[in-house]
Amino acid sequence: MKSLYRTQSWPNQKWRWIIPILLLLLFLSTLIWLPWQAQRMEANERQEQLIADSLWVEQAIQFQLTRNDEVLRQIGGEIASAKLQRETVLDRFRAILKNNREVQRIAWYDANNKVVVDTRENTVANAERLPVPKFEFGSLDVSEETVCLRPVLEINAKNAYLLHCQIPMIKDERRIGSMMISYRMSGILEELVPWWFAQDNQITITDIDDRILAERAAGGSGKSVYTHSRALELPSLTLILRTNSIKSEPKLLSNLLVLSVILLSAGLIWSLMALWRDINRRLAAEGALRQQVTFRTAMENSLVTGLRARDMEGRLTYVNPAFCRMVGFPPEEIIGRVPPMPYWAPEAIEEYQQRFTQLLAGSVPSEGFETVYQHASGERIPVLIYESALINENGRQTGWMSSILDISELRRAQDLTRQQEEKLHTSAKLATMGEIASMLAHELNQPLAAISSYTTGAINLLQSGIMDRPLFQSALEKVNAQAQRAGHIIRSVHEFVKKREATREPVQITDLIHSVTPLVELQAQTSHVALQWQIKSGLPMVLADSVLLEQVLLNLTRNAIESMQKTPPENRILRIETSYDEEMQQVIVAVIDRGHGIPAEVAEQLFSPFFTTKSSGMGMGLNICRTAVEFHGGKLSHRDNPVGGTIFQFALPIYQQQQSADN
């Protein structure tokens, strides 16, 4: 069944783990792709920006060259209409040079290509002595198109390339002259390219043969990562404008935003891993908790001990099934109830209230206490209750937990045990009396025979008529003494075997020994054992049952006498001693023999029930003796006699000590 459950639940568990793993892998791949994509986007953005800026620069150059062309055409038109003189034209040319630093030279030529005005002249008069550049117009004599020639290298201090553009002057469809404007190629880059663009890019102008005509690299050489070439279309001439960015390939983590995203993602991954770990721990804890709850529930349901929990106000918060069975009420009828409880017996209400008040005051007896509950059927149930405090995780008490034991069976068992012990005591007494019955008959024969002799003698005296009063009185006194002796023996046996309830009362141990002396002497005489008494006077009294202690003494003395059956007659000595231990406050009675002793293997089982070394023994004598002594709060022990034999002794607490302990 367990394997079937696992088989059915595995797909759900599998998808529960596979989906988060797939999502995590997707997130990781996205995290890896994001910096790369950001790098690509930045590179594309830089390239697009470079293209846009290059186009703007190209248009700015085109615009400026076109504007200069238009200004010169306007001046040419005014010259053709004879509105301007040579001095005015020169001033106009110089103004253009002043405002356009990329322009190196402006000159006015007549129809024969002779210089009329040249900005490189110091005076107008010296204009005719300047060299005249050679231009080949061909069929363009009447054309209005501007012609730009291939830039030439001017050998001077700067060694710069110059771009010459020829602007024809046409009047009535006839060329009447031309104007020539010369640009420094380096000046075009220096003046027409913005500084911010030149700071980030290396800019060059080349011809179609890749000859470098001008170059500007204010920010350094280009990295050849972001480049762009743009055709610079001039009249009759095409030049190439090349831009090479000084920026390198963007680094993978150079973007602050990307770096922030990565850090946040790393933190998120760590959080997810921590969350995953905590979830696993929580699932494991929940599983363990469920297992523990199931185990605890099964354990509580199987308990025969009643459990109940109460809060600080005495309200029931929990009961187990055993408690409900004990009082006969279902949980829903008693949980949440406050005192008085429905299972309280009416006659013990005051006791319950008093104990509850003590409980609220914190006075909880650790050894437990006994009381009586009332079953729902009205039956009284004796219970034993143990209370303990309920402490929460903060160390604060929240209530009490009680363990309730139904001791009805225990009481019945105790009563049965007590009855069985009484029967055993009676049986032991009868067994003891059976053993001494023959000795009792022999011992009674002596006083009876003496009585018979004395009475026969007295009759003979009466029949003979001899009235010897002193002799007759002596015979009657001896008859009386023998009759009292026989009666004392019979009364001792009768008291010993009489069945009665055990009672404890103050007893003088010396009196108890004297009362059992005739029976001990009777046993000793039969076995030819000499008795020695060492009875200390003035011993404290003990709280005891006289008959039980007499039985203990008779059993111990009988065992001692039997152990000396094979002892030489001169060593058959039985000594009974009494003493007082002031430190332990105990009265000690010792029975000392000189018999065969007790081997070690026998000593281990000496007090075990039904263990005996006698062929006809029951094995209950010493066990009953120990039970009787312990019933009085004492202890029965034995040890080897140094001169041979065994010493049995029992110690009993004195009556005053017991009384003070009860108080």
Side-chain angles (χ1 to χ4, degrees):
M1 188 66 183
K2 187 176 182 181
S3 60
L4 178 60
Y5 171 75
R6 289 182 176 177
T7 304
Q8 293 175 350
S9 61
W10 166 242
N12 295 332
Q13 296 179 357
K14 179 177 68 176
W15 284 112
R16 186 180 66 183
W17 291 111
I18 287 179
I19 291 177
I21 290 175
L22 292 177
L23 292 177
L24 182 59
L25 292 177
L26 178 62
F27 178 77
L28 290 176
S29 61
T30 304
L31 186 62
I32 295 173
W33 171 82
L34 180 61
W36 177 84
Q37 181 64 20
Q39 182 185 20
R40 293 297 90 206
M41 291 177 62
E42 183 178 0
N44 293 336
E45 183 179 356
R46 289 182 181 180
Q47 182 66 32
E48 292 174 358
Q49 185 65 39
L50 178 64
I51 293 174
D53 293 343
S54 299
L55 178 61
W56 185 88
V57 170
E58 182 265 335
Q59 290 177 351
I61 294 174
Q62 291 279 13
F63 174 78
Q64 188 61 36
L65 296 181
T66 302
R67 183 172 176 274
N68 293 339
D69 182 88
E70 292 177 353
V71 171
L72 291 179
R73 284 182 179 276
Q74 182 179 3
I75 295 174
E78 293 179 356
I79 293 174
S81 60
K83 293 182 178 179
L84 294 178
Q85 301 297 321
R86 293 175 58 186
E87 292 78 4
T88 305
V89 171
L90 182 60
D91 292 338
R92 297 279 292 275
F93 284 173
R94 287 176 177 173
I96 294 174
L97 288 176
K98 183 178 180 181
N99 295 326
N100 300 274
R101 296 181 181 181
E102 72 277 4
V103 179
Q104 176 74 19
R105 175 189 175 194
I106 302 176
W108 172 20
Y109 296 89
D110 60 11
N112 297 320
N113 289 335
K114 291 182 179 181
V115 177
V116 179
V117 175
D118 194 338
T119 57
R120 290 203 303 181
E121 283 288 331
N122 292 330
T123 62
V124 178
N126 295 329
E128 294 182 355
R129 294 195 297 272
L130 292 174
V132 179
K134 295 181 179 180
F135 297 99
E136 295 180 359
F137 290 97
S139 61
L140 297 175
D141 287 351
V142 295
S143 176
E144 296 183 359
E145 296 293 331
T146 301
V147 177
C148 292
L149 304 179
R150 186 173 183 179
V152 296
L153 180 64
E154 182 183 42
I155 305 301
N156 53 22
K158 296 183 179 181
N159 292 331
Y161 280 94
L162 296 180
L163 174 64
H164 303 290
C165 294
Q166 186 79 14
I167 302 171
M169 299 171 59
I170 306 298
K171 183 178 180 181
D172 298 332
E173 296 183 358
R174 184 175 60 88
R175 185 175 69 84
I176 61 173
S178 63
M179 286 181 289
M180 188 270 295
I181 182 170
S182 300
Y183 297 96
R184 286 184 302 108
M185 298 302 297
S186 59
I188 293 175
L189 297 181
E190 292 172 358
E191 300 298 331
L192 301 184
V193 176
W195 65 269
W196 51 266
F197 186 75
Q199 196 71 26
D200 293 337
N201 301 278
Q202 178 185 5
I203 310 163
T204 58
I205 297 178
T206 64
D207 57 13
I208 58 177
D209 296 329
D210 290 335
R211 180 181 58 168
I212 298 177
L213 304 178
E215 183 179 47
R216 183 179 179 184
S221 301
K223 303 294 185 180
S224 299
V225 176
Y226 306 106
T227 61
H228 184 64
S229 297
R230 191 76 188 171
L232 190 61
E233 298 292 343
L234 301 177
S236 303
L237 180 66
T238 300
L239 301 178
I240 305 300
L241 178 65
R242 301 182 185 277
T243 53
N244 187 355
S245 176
I246 65 173
K247 296 180 180 180
S248 60
E249 187 79 14
K251 295 181 180 179
L252 190 62
L253 297 179
S254 61
N255 192 302
L256 180 60
L257 179 60
V258 174
L259 179 61
S260 302
V261 171
I262 291 177
L263 292 177
L264 291 175
S265 301
L268 178 60
I269 292 176
W270 180 85
S271 300
L272 289 176
M273 293 177 63
L275 181 60
W276 196 340
R277 180 191 59 191
D278 292 341
I279 289 176
N280 288 334
R281 289 179 178 176
R282 176 166 294 187
L283 290 176
E286 289 178 354
L289 180 60
R290 284 193 297 270
Q291 183 179 4
Q292 290 297 324
V293 169
T294 303
F295 175 77
R296 193 193 73 171
T297 302
M299 181 180 65
E300 291 176 355
N301 292 339
S302 63
L303 286 177
V304 296
T305 301
L307 297 177
R308 71 176 179 189
R310 293 183 289 177
D311 60 16
M312 299 299 292
E313 298 178 356
R315 182 180 290 102
L316 277 181
T317 58
Y318 167 79
V319 291
N320 72 335
F323 182 82
C324 295
R325 291 192 298 269
M326 189 182 301
V327 299
F329 292 97
E332 55 272 11
E333 290 188 14
I334 55 178
I335 289 182
R337 293 285 297 269
V338 295
M341 297 301 178
Y343 49 82
W344 285 5
E347 65 274 11
I349 290 293
E350 293 184 0
E351 177 190 354
Y352 298 146
Q353 293 289 0
Q354 181 180 2
R355 290 194 180 278
F356 183 68
T357 303
Q358 294 175 353
L359 186 67
L360 292 178
S363 177
V364 181
S366 58
E367 67 277 4
F369 60 90
E370 293 186 16
T371 186
V372 177
Y373 279 167
Q374 178 178 280
H375 192 270
S377 61
E379 178 186 358
R380 298 302 190 269
I381 304 170
V383 293
L384 177 61
I385 302 176
Y386 293 91
E387 300 276 4
S388 61
L390 281 176
I391 307 299
N392 63 7
E393 66 277 4
N394 298 322
R396 187 171 60 88
Q397 182 179 354
T398 59
W400 294 271
M401 174 61 73
S402 305
S403 300
I404 300 98
L405 300 176
D406 184 352
I407 57 175
S408 301
E409 295 296 331
L410 178 61
R411 290 286 179 82
R412 284 192 285 268
Q414 289 176 346
D415 293 341
L416 180 61
T417 301
R418 185 169 58 254
Q419 295 173 6
Q420 294 296 333
E421 288 180 354
E422 291 177 359
K423 290 180 180 179
L424 285 175
H425 289 310
T426 303
S427 299
K429 293 177 186 178
L430 294 176
T432 302
M433 292 308 300
E435 293 178 2
I436 67 173
S438 59
M439 294 182 294
L440 179 62
H442 174 74
E443 186 66 20
L444 289 177
N445 282 333
Q446 294 179 2
L448 291 177
I451 292 173
S452 177
S453 298
Y454 291 141
T455 54
T456 301
I459 293 173
N460 291 333
L461 288 176
L462 291 175
Q463 290 177 352
S464 64
I466 301 174
M467 296 299 295
D468 189 348
R469 184 179 180 85
L471 182 61
F472 190 76
Q473 183 177 357
S474 175
L476 291 178
E477 289 177 353
K478 291 180 179 179
V479 169
N480 182 50
Q482 293 297 327
Q484 289 181 357
R485 178 187 175 189
H488 182 67
I489 292 173
I490 293 173
R491 282 194 301 274
S492 298
V493 174
H494 178 267
E495 289 294 333
F496 182 75
V497 299
K498 183 173 63 175
K499 182 179 179 181
R500 61 181 182 82
E501 295 290 334
T503 58
R504 296 174 64 183
E505 57 186 3
V507 175
Q508 177 58 252
I509 200 71
T510 304
D511 297 339
L512 186 144
I513 294 175
H514 288 161
S515 65
V516 80
T517 298
L519 296 178
V520 176
E521 290 176 344
L522 182 60
Q523 297 179 87
Q525 290 174 5
T526 305
S527 300
H528 305 286
V529 174
L531 288 176
Q532 293 181 358
W533 304 90
Q534 191 173 348
I535 308 301
K536 187 175 181 180
S537 61
L539 292 174
M541 301 183 74
V542 296
L543 192 65
D545 186 295
S546 301
V547 176
L548 290 180
L549 292 183
E550 289 175 1
Q551 181 181 355
V552 172
L553 278 172
L554 284 175
N555 281 336
L556 294 179
T557 55
R558 183 187 59 190
N559 290 341
I561 292 170
E562 290 177 352
S563 68
M564 293 186 289
Q565 293 297 322
K566 297 182 180 181
T567 302
E570 64 273 12
N571 293 333
R572 295 180 184 178
I573 301 173
L574 175 63
R575 188 168 75 252
I576 300 176
E577 298 179 353
T578 62
S579 61
Y580 174 56
D581 188 345
E582 294 184 1
E583 180 180 358
M584 300 299 296
Q585 297 287 296
Q586 291 177 337
V587 174
I588 301 173
V589 179
V591 178
I592 306 170
D593 67 68
R594 298 184 65 181
H596 52 68
I598 301 175
E601 61 274 10
V602 175
E604 295 179 356
Q605 307 181 58
L606 192 61
F607 295 103
S608 300
F610 307 108
F611 175 78
T612 181
T613 57
K614 304 175 185 178
S615 58
S616 59
M618 297 175 58
M620 294 298 295
L622 288 177
N623 179 264
I624 292 174
C625 290
R626 185 179 65 173
T627 302
V629 172
E630 291 177 352
F631 171 74
H632 292 83
K635 181 179 180 181
L636 175 64
S637 61
H638 71 91
R639 66 180 185 274
D640 294 336
N641 189 356
V643 296
T646 308
I647 300 175
F648 277 89
Q649 71 177 27
F650 60 89
L652 301 173
I654 65 174
Y655 174 61
Q656 290 81 354
Q657 182 184 14
Q658 182 72 23
Q659 194 175 36
S660 63
D662 292 339
N663 295 336

